[in-house]
């Protein structure tokens, strides 16, 4: 049975898409069969793995709104063991179209139930909002990873996300857990980065991953080449840290 994990934070620019791509690739490199769902209309996860979005017949939009078989939307990536269901700008309008649908919060769950037995991990890259599609992702998930950028306003908005998770647990998905808080864009030369780490650790204790993702030029460059950092520069600090994160996640779920 696979594990479904959402990567969520309604604050943009926290490394959510970078983490989705590279954690998925690192899990695949560890021999796990991984499906990555791009649930963000910006489709950066899709383009970041070299998917030609304009050439696609089916995306997560068609799965959610038209109820098509998700198998027809799955595409292989250049990384062995890693497949994905891409996104499309059409997803912007999906929330309005889903509003009048029956069990509208359960549509993603219904989609993923058709494929979950074929994968060890399914990761969902959520959009930077707490709209209906993010609610769908959290309702379909076993757990959520919350990337936290090491900057001054890091904890701003986390309370809102935690409240959303609490509501979803009480009304839609009682089994939903927080997998962990992941500190991203860490710069140990800055006192602020260390202060944010201490603050997050003090608030959330063991829920904070031991692995920290540092600022790394290779991480920024890899998406423009349509590959993960593990393909782009396997010896880079970013590749090593995401490999460490994948191993930590696997160890937590043994």
């Amino acid at each position: 049975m696979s594990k479904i994990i959402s990567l969520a934070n309604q604050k943009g620019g926290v490394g959510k898409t970078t983490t989705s791509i590279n954690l998925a690739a690192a899990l695949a490199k560890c021999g796990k069969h991984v499906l990555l769902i791009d649930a963000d209309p910006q489709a950066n996860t899709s383009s970041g793995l070299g998917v030609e979005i304009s050439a696609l017949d089916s995306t997560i939009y068609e799965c959610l709104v038209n109820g098509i078989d998700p198998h027809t939307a799955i595409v292989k990536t250049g990384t062995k063991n890693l497949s994905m269901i891409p996104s499309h700008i059409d997803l912007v309008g999906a929330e309005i179209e889903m509003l009048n649908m029956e069990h509208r919060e359960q549509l993603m769950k219904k989609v993923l139930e058709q494929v979950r037995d074929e994968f060890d991990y399914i990761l969902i890259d959520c959009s930077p909002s707490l709209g209906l599609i993010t609610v769908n992702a959290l309702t379909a998930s076993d757990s959520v990873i919350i990337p936290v950028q090491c900057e001054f306003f890091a904890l701003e908005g986390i309370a809102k996300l935690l409240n959303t998770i609490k509501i979803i647990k009480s009304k839609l998905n009682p089994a939903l857990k927080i997998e962990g808080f992941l500190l991203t864009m860490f710069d140990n030369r800055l006192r602020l980065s260390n202060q944010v780490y201490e603050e997050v650790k003090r608030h959330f204790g063991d829920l904070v991953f031991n692995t920290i993702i540092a600022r790394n030029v290779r991480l920024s460059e890899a998406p423009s080449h349509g590959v993960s950092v593990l393909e782009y520069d396997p010896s880079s600090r970013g590749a090593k840290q995401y490999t460490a994160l994948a191993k930590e996640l696997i160890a937590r779920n043994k």
Side-chain angles (χ1 to χ4, degrees):
M1 191 68 159
S2 71
K3 180 148 198 184
I4 301 176
I5 304 173
S6 279
L7 289 99
N9 190 330
Q10 78 275 18
K11 196 172 185 302
V14 297
K16 188 168 44 56
T17 295
T18 299
T19 295
S20 299
I21 290 171
N22 293 300
L23 176 56
L27 286 166
K29 293 272 186 186
C30 288
K32 303 296 180 184
H33 288 88
V34 184
L35 177 65
L36 180 55
I37 311 290
D38 190 350
D40 185 346
Q42 294 177 79
N44 290 336
T45 301
S46 306
S47 58
L49 279 172
V51 175
E52 190 60 57
I53 298 160
S54 58
L56 298 172
D57 293 322
S58 306
T59 65
I60 192 65
Y61 170 84
E62 283 78 17
C63 296
L64 292 171
V65 175
N66 302 331
I68 69 157
D69 183 341
H71 290 94
T72 64
I74 292 174
V75 297
K76 300 273 188 196
T77 72
T79 300
K80 188 185 173 191
N81 297 330
L82 176 56
S83 301
M84 80 174 303
I85 297 182
S87 182
H88 192 276
I89 192 65
D90 287 353
L91 200 60
V92 168
E95 297 206 351
I96 297 164
E97 294 177 71
M98 289 160 68
L99 277 176
N100 296 319
M101 292 185 178
E102 207 174 340
H103 307 302
R104 62 189 181 193
E105 297 92 355
Q106 311 272 355
L107 296 171
M108 181 79 79
K109 186 177 182 182
K110 196 173 158 191
V111 168
L112 297 187
E113 276 172 352
Q114 298 173 66
V115 296
R116 82 172 288 168
D117 290 342
E118 297 160 40
F119 298 93
D120 299 309
Y121 286 92
I122 298 177
L123 303 186
I124 308 173
D125 180 25
C126 299
S127 65
S129 77
L130 294 176
L132 185 54
I133 291 174
T134 298
V135 168
N136 259 268
L138 294 172
T139 302
S141 295
D142 300 306
S143 64
V144 54
I145 290 174
I146 302 169
V148 181
Q149 186 180 358
C150 290
E151 54 138 58
F152 186 68
F153 295 113
L155 295 180
E156 194 181 77
I158 286 184
K160 202 180 281 187
L161 175 59
L162 293 178
N163 192 49
T164 300
I165 290 169
K166 191 174 166 187
I167 292 166
I168 286 168
K169 274 180 72 106
S170 66
K171 296 184 187 304
L172 296 164
N173 183 5
L176 183 64
K177 291 184 170 64
I178 293 174
E179 190 72 43
F181 292 84
L182 174 69
L183 287 153
T184 62
M185 303 182 194
F186 184 84
D187 186 341
N188 61 9
R189 297 169 301 176
L190 300 178
R191 194 194 316 170
L192 181 61
S193 279
N194 290 290
Q195 286 172 339
V196 170
Y197 172 77
E198 295 299 335
E199 194 176 353
V200 173
K201 195 77 178 159
R202 190 172 72 249
H203 272 80
F204 303 112
D206 290 343
L207 283 175
V208 182
F209 283 103
N210 294 324
T211 306
I212 296 172
I213 308 300
R215 286 192 180 277
N216 181 249
V217 174
R218 293 298 196 224
L219 279 176
S220 308
E221 292 173 348
S224 65
H225 295 268
V227 292
S228 73
V229 73
L230 286 91
E231 301 284 349
Y232 181 62
D233 186 351
S235 64
S236 67
R237 185 161 60 157
K240 288 172 181 173
Q241 287 171 343
Y242 276 110
T243 300
L245 177 63
K247 288 176 178 173
E248 188 177 349
L249 182 64
I250 292 165
R252 281 188 179 200
N253 286 285
K254 273 184 178 170

